[in-house]
Every structure is written in structure tokens, then in C-alpha cells.
Amino acid sequence: MTSQTTQNNVNPIKIAVLAMGGQGGGVLADWIVTMAENAGWWAQTTSVPGVAQRTGATIYYLELLPEQAVKEMGRQPALALMPTPGDVDLVIAAELMEGGRAIQRGLVTPDRTTLISSSHRAYAVLEKSAPGNGIVDGNKVIDIGKRAAKRFLCFDLQSLAEQGGSVISASLFGAVAGSGALPFSREDFEATIESGGKGVKASLKAFALAYDVAQNAPETPDAIDTAPPQRAVPDTAKHPRVKALLDDIRQNFAPAAQPMLVAGLQRTMEFQDLAYGKEYLEHMRGIHALDKQYGGESKNWALTTAAARYVAVAMAYDDVIRVADLKTRASRFDRVRDEVRAKPDQLVYTTEYMHPRLEEICGTMPTFLGERIENSESLKRWLQPLFRKGRFLNSTSLTGFLMLYGLAGMRRFRRTTLRHKIEMQGFQEWLNLILQTAPNDYDLAVEVVNCRRLVKGYSDTHARGQSKYQKLIRAARNLSGQNNAAERLRTLRNAALADEKGSQLDTLLEKGDQAFA
């Protein structure tokens, strides 16, 4: 027995480990059991699998009892198979929202529970598929955890694992050791890792990093910085014409809007070409002049800053050509290899699921041909059955890659396509509405700009967003000149973002003025 305990009662140490599939929650639980048994303790672990919104979440439950306590009882202990709310000593969460789930289940209590959670996020399906920004604020979980737990340790254990070249189970093990929540020495923990015989060096490194952070952890966790990184205007650029555009941003636009303008310029040039980026800045020049006249510094250049983002989004729309371009980039293949932790000598095959509708196919055609098909009921009846089912395409095979690469190469013809014509017509109508609204109601004009947030994606996703966007634009025209028009349009926009089908938006529109009474 390598460590001693002062525990003289027969109550076991009760531990709950919450982890998602692939995070090594089972490995962590086995390490704790092995360590306890090597120290002469009784130990038991069970797992309660569940299907969460990610890749499946499991609760591993452990109970540890020292041999001395068993001898005092005079019989073998009966250990529980599942955690009981209000009766857990240590909760270990491999992701922040798993920590929140433990709190919600009542496993964390302020009179006894130590909560150790990684602060990183693995976004749920509902967060990623929300029409707007569906990401849950992790700081709310941290605030609740401070009140719910007797002691709360929360820091980015995923990044520490990556620094050590290991997985999060190793850094979680180190955080448990550094917290002092279990009556075992650091040597006991490290000996357990070494006894595994696999990835020992990397696991020990990740363990040590987390151990040190836990040892020096503040009494209460710090808030997570959720602000997006600021993009400064580069001082230089490789291409002299690009440098000229960046100099234009620096010299002729408000500093508050410059970071977003740089991002917008980069997106539009990447989408098409340098000339297209120049067109973007010309559109923004007109909006900036309008902003200067009716809002400007007094409004913190809200119109220009919002437009810098959404003008770029509108110009760099998601068409089939762009999707193919994104799927054939070397950076994407590298990212996929990193995500699956492939070794240099391993082959990784990527299968894409693609389901373009007939409208997307027509959109890639020259305008005259695409319009002819869309205006012909007989042609549509003949062609639509060909696109009712999705297709699986191996983008890492030669044939699959060349198909996507050839489609991405159609970018040079994009301005002649039907999709580009449709997008630019809608884009110009949106710009005209902004120009008409700003002189009379600056705040409403800003909200009109933000309505463009609804339009994204392609295929069915784009169709749903476009439908809700058109409803908002009609509402904006009707609200012009009314009191609190900007606030009312913002309420409608939030309703449109609240659900995929737009039911809340339809309800508010049906109620009309009564919805804002």
C-alpha cells in the first residue's frame, strides 16, 4: 500500500466521470480503480451510457473504500452502481457542458462535491445547426458551478492534453491528482499511467501539465473570453494591388470598422478574385459615406461595421462551386487528419454527403440555360427525379477529387451563372433598402443590415433562410417611419433565428401590432 488514509468511517469515496464518446472516460475510470486497488483499497466502477447531442455521453460511476474500513465492517461492502443526486464527492467532466449536465442532474452539491471540468467546448448538434449563433454561453455554467460546488476547478484540459501529445483522459487524471481530491500521492497516479504500457511518455507529460495548473488553480475559475479575436489591418501584403486595397481601408475607413473590413476583403477575394474584392470595397465606400452623414462616430460606426460583415457574406454566397472549393483544399484534408488523429503512415478516406437540388444544378449553368430549365415545367418534371436522393462521394479518391476540383474550377465562370444573377439582384435590392432607410431611421437601417444574417448555406438550408429573410425585409418596409421600428425588427429577427421552421416569426407577423403592445 503506497498511501495512507485517515478515513475511519464506512462511507466510500463516490466519483462520477462524465465524458463523451472518444474522450477516454473509461480509461480515466480504469486508472482510478487500478490506482485504488494497488493502494489496497476496494474499488468498483460501472458505466451508464447515454445518447447525447454529440457523439454519445456516458457517466462512469466509481466508489472507493479503504481496506481498513472493510475490516471494521467485518463483511464485504455493497457498493452502488449509479450516482445518487446529492451524494457524490468528486465529479469529473471532460467538457464544460458535461459539467453543466452534472449540475443539472443534482450530482454537484455545495456541501461536499469537488467539481473538476475542462473549460473547452464540443458543440452540440443543436448549437451548430441553429439558424443563428446557437452556441451556449459557457460562462453561465461557470457562474452556476461556483455556487453549486464546494470546490470548482475549471481550465482548458483539452489544450493541455494536446500540448503533451496525449488525450484528455491523461490531463483529467493530472487535474484530479493536483486538486488533492483523492487521498493518493502523485507517485501513485504516475505509477498507474506507467503500468498501462501505452503512450506512457505523452500521458505523463499531459498529466504533469494539468497537475501543475490544478495545484495553482484560483479559488474560483476565471470567466472564459468569448470575444472573437480582432483582425488588425496588415501593414504589408505580397501582392502590390492587395496592399493598395489594405492601404485604402486604413486611410479611408473608420478604425472601428477596419478589422471587419479586412475580413470581408479577404473573404470576397478568396471567393472570386482581386477585382471582386475591389467591388466589395466600393460598396462599402458608399455605405461608409452614408454612415458618416447620418450616424458616424456618434453611433460608433454601427452601420459600417455591420455592413462590412454582411456585404461580404452576401457577395461570397454559398454556391455549389464554393462548396466544392472548400472540400478540395489541402487545409481541409489536414484538418480531417488532425481530428481523427491519423498517424503519418495512415491513410484517411473522406466520404462527402452531397444533395444538391435541381435549383443548385441550374444555378451553376449559364443564365440563359438555367432560366430555360427553371421556366420549363416539362424539363423540370423530367430532371427532378435525378436529384431527389443524396450522393456519397469519396473526395480522397482520384475520381471523387477530380470531380470536385473541376467543379471548383468553374469559379472563373461564376459571374455568368444563373445563381450569381439571382444573388446580385437580391443583393442590390437589399443595398437600396439600406440607402433609403438610413436617412430617416439610422437604427432601423442597421437592423436591415443584420437581417442578412438569415441567408446562408445552400440547398434546403439556403431556401429556409431566404424565406425568413424575405419576410423580414417586407416587415422592414412596413415598419419604416413607425416608432421603435428598429427594436421591433430586431424582435422579429430574433424570432426568425429561434427555430428552423420560422414558427415564432410567423406567429409574431400574424399578431401584427398586438405582438408589440
Side-chain angles (χ1 to χ4, degrees):
M1 185 168 177
T2 57
S3 62
Q4 302 294 327
T5 176
T6 59
Q7 183 171 324
N8 295 319
N9 54 48
V10 294
N11 292 324
I13 298 175
K14 301 176 181 181
I15 306 169
V17 179
L18 287 84
M20 297 177 293
Q23 289 188 314
V27 173
L28 175 61
D30 290 343
W31 274 346
I32 295 175
V33 169
T34 299
M35 178 177 62
E37 289 178 342
N38 289 340
W41 286 51
W42 286 70
Q44 176 178 282
T45 178
T46 57
S47 61
V48 184
V51 179
Q53 300 96 327
R54 307 173 187 86
T55 57
T58 300
I59 296 179
Y60 301 88
Y61 181 61
L62 303 90
E63 290 198 355
L64 314 179
L65 196 63
E67 179 66 28
Q68 182 60 36
V70 176
K71 290 180 179 179
E72 291 176 1
M73 286 191 298
R75 57 179 174 80
Q76 290 187 356
L79 302 178
L81 300 177
M82 292 181 64
T84 302
D87 192 30
V88 180
D89 299 295
L90 173 62
V91 171
I92 308 167
E95 190 262 354
L96 185 58
M97 288 303 156
E98 292 303 313
R101 192 163 67 93
I103 296 171
Q104 189 177 40
R105 287 170 173 254
L107 302 181
V108 181
T109 51
D111 60 326
R112 68 182 293 180
T113 308
T114 296
L115 173 60
I116 300 174
S117 175
S118 179
S119 62
H120 82 284
R121 291 297 326 281
Y123 299 124
V125 171
L126 292 177
E127 291 180 279
K128 293 187 284 188
S129 63
N133 183 4
I135 298 175
V136 177
D137 185 2
N139 285 319
K140 292 182 179 179
V141 176
I142 291 179
D143 291 339
I144 294 173
K146 292 176 182 178
R147 301 192 298 270
K150 182 177 181 180
R151 187 182 177 203
F152 184 19
L153 283 75
C154 184
F155 43 91
D156 193 345
L157 289 160
Q158 179 63 40
S159 66
L160 294 178
E162 291 172 356
Q163 289 178 38
S166 185
V167 293
I168 195 171
S169 54
S171 55
L172 284 168
F173 202 45
V176 173
S179 71
L182 296 180
F184 304 100
S185 68
R186 176 170 181 170
E187 289 73 21
D188 293 331
F189 283 86
E190 292 176 334
T192 302
I193 294 176
E194 291 171 351
S195 67
K198 294 182 179 180
V200 172
K201 185 176 180 180
S203 294
L204 287 175
K205 184 176 180 181
F207 172 91
L209 291 170
Y211 181 92
D212 293 339
V213 174
Q215 284 261 297
N216 300 293
E219 189 171 334
T220 58
D222 297 327
I224 302 171
D225 184 8
T226 58
Q230 290 294 316
R231 188 190 300 263
V233 180
D235 291 330
T236 60
K238 293 182 179 179
H239 198 293
R241 292 176 64 188
V242 175
K243 184 178 186 302
L245 295 179
L246 293 174
D247 289 340
D248 186 5
I249 292 174
R250 188 182 300 105
Q251 297 168 9
N252 299 314
F253 290 88
Q258 288 180 9
M260 192 59 71
L261 284 163
V262 171
L265 177 63
Q266 179 179 352
R267 175 163 179 160
T268 49
M269 288 194 302
E270 183 185 74
F271 178 79
Q272 189 61 37
D273 49 32
L274 188 66
Y276 205 59
K278 189 174 182 180
E279 285 183 28
Y280 164 74
L281 285 187
E282 291 305 313
H283 288 304
M284 288 308 306
R285 201 181 313 281
I287 292 176
H288 185 261
L290 190 71
D291 196 349
K292 185 176 182 180
Q293 185 176 0
Y294 297 104
E297 191 66 41
S298 64
K299 295 287 188 176
N300 197 29
W301 300 98
L303 182 63
T304 304
T305 302
R309 176 181 182 181
Y310 290 113
V311 167
V313 171
M315 293 181 66
Y317 49 88
D318 290 318
D319 61 356
V320 176
I321 298 172
R322 176 171 170 79
V323 171
D325 177 37
L326 294 174
K327 289 183 180 295
T328 53
R329 292 184 182 181
S331 58
R332 181 173 185 266
F333 291 115
D334 291 340
R335 178 171 56 82
V336 171
R337 291 188 64 88
D338 289 341
E339 288 179 353
V340 301
R341 300 183 182 278
K343 297 179 180 178
D345 59 344
Q346 288 181 310
L347 298 177
V348 177
Y349 294 96
T350 305
T351 301
E352 315 287 353
Y353 177 74
M354 307 184 73
H355 190 189
R357 303 173 304 163
L358 178 59
E359 289 83 352
E360 275 70 54
I361 302 302
C362 291
T364 62
M365 297 178 180
T367 301
F368 75 93
L369 183 57
E371 287 180 338
R372 181 180 177 184
I373 295 175
E374 290 200 341
N375 294 332
S376 173
E377 292 300 325
S378 60
L379 284 174
K380 286 196 294 185
R381 280 196 304 270
W382 182 68
L383 291 171
Q384 278 180 339
L386 302 176
F387 303 100
R388 285 177 180 169
K389 295 182 179 180
R391 300 287 190 274
F392 292 97
L393 181 68
N394 184 354
S395 60
T396 47
S397 69
L398 180 60
T399 302
F401 178 82
L402 289 178
M403 287 178 62
L404 291 174
Y405 190 76
L407 185 57
M410 290 179 61
R411 178 171 62 177
R412 69 190 70 179
F413 308 116
R414 178 182 270 134
R415 297 189 194 212
T416 67
T417 63
L418 176 60
R419 176 67 187 277
H420 188 76
K421 177 183 177 180
I422 294 172
E423 290 293 334
M424 290 302 101
Q425 286 177 344
F427 174 62
Q428 194 58 54
E429 291 174 1
W430 176 61
L431 286 181
N432 291 338
L433 181 58
I434 296 169
L435 296 175
Q436 294 165 9
T437 305
N440 302 313
D441 192 333
Y442 180 93
D443 294 334
L444 179 60
V446 174
E447 289 305 318
V448 170
V449 171
N450 289 327
C451 284
R452 193 75 196 189
R453 179 179 179 183
L454 272 295
V455 184
K456 62 180 181 179
Y458 79 113
S459 192
D460 294 337
T461 301
H462 179 268
R464 287 191 297 268
Q466 182 71 19
S467 174
K468 291 186 285 187
Y469 165 75
Q470 291 296 342
K471 293 175 183 178
L472 290 178
I473 292 301
R474 287 194 293 270
R477 296 184 189 279
N478 294 332
L479 287 170
S480 181
Q482 297 185 27
N483 293 330
N484 300 321
E487 183 178 346
R488 295 171 70 173
L489 184 58
R490 187 183 309 116
T491 301
L492 292 173
R493 176 167 53 83
N494 290 335
L497 292 167
D499 64 273
E500 185 176 321
K501 295 182 179 179
S503 302
Q504 292 190 31
L505 173 62
D506 292 339
T507 300
L508 288 180
L509 291 174
E510 288 175 5
K511 291 182 178 179
D513 291 340
Q514 295 179 358
F516 304 98

